[in-house]
Amino acid sequence: MTAPSSSAAEVRFVSVAKRYGAGPTAIESLDLTIRRGEFITLLGPSGSGKTTALNLLAGFQEPTSGQILIDGEDVSRLPPHKRNIGLVFQHYALFPHMTVRENIAYPLKQRRVAKAEMARRVDDVLRMVSLEIFADRLPRQLSGGQQQRVAVARAIVFEPRLLLMDEPLGALDRKLRESVQLELKRIHRELGATVVFVTHDQEEALVMSDRIAVFNAGRIQQVGTAEELYDAPETQFVAQFLGESNCWVGEVSPNNDALCTVAGACREIAGQRTPRTPTSGLAAAIVRPERCHVVARTAAIEGWNSVPGRLREVVYLGSQRKMIVDLEIGGSAVVTCTPDVVLPSEAAVCVRFPISATRIVPAS
Amino acid sequence: MSADTGRKATRWALAGLCTLIGLWLILPLAVIVPISFSGEDSFAFPPQSWTLARYANLVTPQWTQALLNSLVVALLVAGLCAVLGTLAAFAIVRSHSRAMVVLRLLILAPQVVPIIIVGLGVYLVFLGWQLTGTVSGFVIAHAALSLPFVVIPVAASLQTFDRSLERASASLGAAPVATFFQVTFPIIRPAILSGTLLAFLGSFDELVLALFLQSPTFVTLPVQLYRRMTDTIDPTIAAVATIQLGFVIACVIVALVLERRRAAGTKAG
């Protein structure tokens, strides 16, 4: 994280809920503090509430209840044009009847910035996104990537305290997307503004964000850095949405120490208790594929879980090898390892993984 | 015979047929043009001698006043339809109210109901309100008739309008009114202009309602033409018709160009 500029905004959602008529609730209850100058990503599948959260923050919708505070000021009922927030839209929303320069000058014109000052600032951001030579073209004469940069330039030229981006890379091809990701990171560093980025692409979230808020079904599942979310997911949803996980759902044991077990289908799996692990009822034991090993069936080892199964498939992926094991208790497990690991010769194997790398989380 | 030559033959046949239909539509109109320069006092075709006298005859108060009346009414109708039609199109496209289905039908109704019935209804009501033979009477009646010419293209243009542009404008600091004038209006302007032009023509050409609403002191150009045609066989009306034809063709070409530009604009946007 870079040093936040003094003008970067701090955003707080306080028990924000949004319902549409009698329909399903878009956002159940949202409590989230976005720190000054941070790059936070709202990540989730479509319909999870992340876009609604963005629209509430931008002012296109009003919360049904709760408050949204920007730098301590309640903006929940403030119309969008008074919020001073830069926005980059999924399909860029460039004004088709204006040139690149006119598009970028638009927010300055609304603020009655003097002509000379306006020209200087437009030139500055044009240089920042390397589009100087396209200044007098119309948006339709530009490629998707160039249009996207115009949209970013237009959203930052008035130096907003907060920059929102709604899946801004969704319409770009993969290769272009990677270079734009780095470009956006650079712009965030140079501006020092707070950035709220919405995406359903977990890889994009991992690359770009200081912190990630994972949304599902109108609720935040977990907020944290990429490492925290990947290494210490707090719910089954987070574990499965962010990267791959092996997962066993069962009755959680009532013992209250750091370790507990999930028992289901006549086998117990032990793992680390987390702050949100229930003391009774259903829970999920989760472990990442790269923490598992496929070994010949031998006696159990202290500190490890062992699940017997049959090796069904081995897929060679270049930098790693991926194995799929059909488990005797039903279902299958995915194990990844480096290609030089020697595999057991028999098909009857054990999937073995350390209890310390297994987490018991609320089932979803 | 290959499929390619077959296709070529079809294309030639189609071109021929279209040319015939075109001639069938245009020739009766085209006959008017030479007659307007005819030296005889009849509609004999082809003319035996040539003169510009018919056009000179037009510079009489009878014709100039009718032309002026028509222009004033048509311009007011065009202005009224541009504003009301655009507002109605916004309501129809942007409101989620069920009432909009009814509104749409009501706006189309005058074009669907036989014009003679509309004329009779308007006449009976306007007689009571003393609006017959007045500019306002003509403007109100013609505007009701011409409203769909604006509502239909503007509603179509709003339907394809990307509303995230308005959100973008708001996020960049423009209040709703500023957004309308800087973003929405410039993008739907070609549709409004082409609709307005058609509304103008709809009023300028209109005869049936005008026949009901005319008075001895207030006559529009189509009414004057009709009277002359039925009273006397006078080639002067051929001159009027030629001028009107040229004017209308010019208007239609402008409307088509605007419409094409709108289509190109929405495609690119």
Side-chain angles (χ1 to χ4, degrees), chain A residues 55 60-61 80-81 85-87 89 93-98 103 106-107 109-111 140 154-155 158, chain B residues 162 164-176 178-179 182-184 186-187 264-265 268-269:
Chain A
N55 285 337
F60 299 139
Q61 294 171 349
H81 65 275
I85 295 175
L87 238 160
F89 291 78
L94 298 178
F95 305 127
H97 57 297
M98 296 184 197
N103 262 285
Y106 188 86
K109 211 171 123 196
Q110 310 313 314
R111 288 165 176 76
R140 63 167 163 269
R154 189 179 65 175
F158 58 104
Chain B
D162 177 7
S164 68
L165 295 179
E166 289 173 340
R167 288 186 161 196
S169 172
S171 79
L172 296 170
T179 295
Q182 293 177 87
V183 176
T184 317
I187 292 173

Side-chain angles (χ1 to χ4, degrees), chain A residues 20-273:
Chain A
Y20 297 111
T25 311
I27 289 186
E28 294 269 1
S29 176
L30 177 57
D31 284 284
L32 174 65
T33 300
I34 298 169
R35 299 173 193 146
R36 232 171 263 289
E38 98 174 309
F39 194 122
I40 192 167
T41 296
L42 312 186
L43 174 69
S46 61
S48 59
K50 59 189 196 303
T51 300
T52 306
L54 191 86
N55 285 337
L56 290 171
L57 185 50
F60 299 139
Q61 294 171 349
E62 278 188 11
T64 313
S65 61
Q67 280 187 317
I68 299 169
L69 307 171
I70 299 182
D71 290 334
E73 181 204 356
D74 183 1
V75 298
S76 316
R77 303 283 181 271
L78 202 66
H81 65 275
K82 292 188 179 155
R83 293 199 183 188
N84 213 25
I85 295 175
L87 238 160
V88 180
F89 291 78
Q90 187 169 11
H91 299 290
Y92 321 138
L94 298 178
F95 305 127
H97 57 297
M98 296 184 197
T99 64
V100 168
R101 178 178 292 281
E102 287 165 342
N103 262 285
I104 298 175
Y106 188 86
L108 302 177
K109 211 171 123 196
Q110 310 313 314
R111 288 165 176 76
R112 313 217 187 292
V113 173
K115 274 253 165 68
E117 165 80 358
M118 195 186 303
R120 189 186 61 74
R121 283 168 73 175
V122 171
D123 285 336
D124 280 352
V125 289
L126 275 172
R127 209 169 306 124
M128 198 165 177
V129 296
S130 340
L131 283 175
E132 298 101 312
I133 56 168
F134 299 108
D136 296 313
R137 297 227 188 144
L138 287 172
R140 63 167 163 269
Q141 296 167 309
L142 302 181
S143 71
Q146 291 164 341
Q147 290 186 28
Q148 210 268 347
R149 273 142 69 196
V150 177
V152 171
R154 189 179 65 175
I156 62 177
V157 69
F158 58 104
E159 291 166 6
R161 50 190 175 169
L162 179 59
L163 185 59
L164 313 183
M165 301 197 218
D166 185 8
E167 309 226 5
L169 311 181
L172 301 180
D173 64 61
R174 192 174 181 79
K175 198 161 179 196
L176 193 56
R177 207 180 301 176
E178 278 169 23
S179 77
V180 177
Q181 283 173 357
L182 296 176
E183 180 132 345
L184 288 179
K185 283 290 278 183
R186 174 180 66 83
I187 288 171
H188 172 237
R189 261 198 314 276
E190 286 178 25
L191 286 178
T194 309
V195 176
V196 180
F197 188 92
V198 167
T199 185
H200 64 267
D201 183 334
Q202 46 126 338
E203 210 174 304
E204 201 164 281
L206 293 175
V207 171
M208 312 219 19
S209 325
D210 295 321
R211 285 197 306 157
I212 300 169
V214 180
F215 278 69
N216 188 39
R219 287 181 181 281
I220 288 190
Q221 298 278 317
Q222 190 176 350
V223 185
T225 63
E227 287 90 342
E228 283 165 0
L229 292 178
Y230 191 82
D231 293 335
E234 284 173 7
T235 70
Q236 189 188 347
F237 178 83
V238 172
Q240 291 184 312
F241 192 72
L242 215 72
E244 220 172 344
S245 285
N246 293 308
C247 195
W248 293 271
V249 177
E251 199 75 26
V252 70
S253 64
N255 54 334
N256 232 347
D257 52 359
L259 293 182
C260 62
T261 56
V262 164
C266 54
R267 177 155 298 267
E268 288 194 341
I269 292 165
Q272 306 289 322
R273 188 176 271 285

